[in-house]
Amino acid sequence: MSALITDLADHRKFGVGDYRELMSRKADLLERIAADQPGDAEAAEVAAAARARADELESTD
């Protein structure tokens, strides 16, 4: 998680890193969190939204 946060900060500050790849990593992390909290509907919704956005970015290549 800390590596993702660092990479997101570097992207924001310095424009380094592939934004699509970062969003995919973020979605992966949120999906893992949601999987560990099966009764948490909000976590599932956030993960689904993040995955949809990451997939949308992937499809615009």
Side-chain angles (χ1 to χ4, degrees):
M1 181 173 355
S2 62
L4 175 60
I5 292 169
T6 299
D7 291 346
L8 287 169
D10 285 346
H11 180 75
R12 176 176 265 195
K13 290 180 185 177
F14 309 113
V16 297
D18 181 348
Y19 184 70
R20 289 169 288 199
E21 191 268 333
L22 290 170
M23 293 301 100
S24 183
R25 286 173 52 197
K26 177 183 168 184
D28 290 344
L29 176 62
L30 291 170
E31 287 169 339
R32 289 195 312 262
I33 291 169
D36 285 342
Q37 303 294 325
D40 189 339
E42 185 177 1
E45 288 175 25
V46 169
R51 175 54 58 203
R53 177 66 177 138
D55 289 349
E56 182 180 287
L57 290 171
E58 294 286 323
S59 69
T60 61
D61 284 342

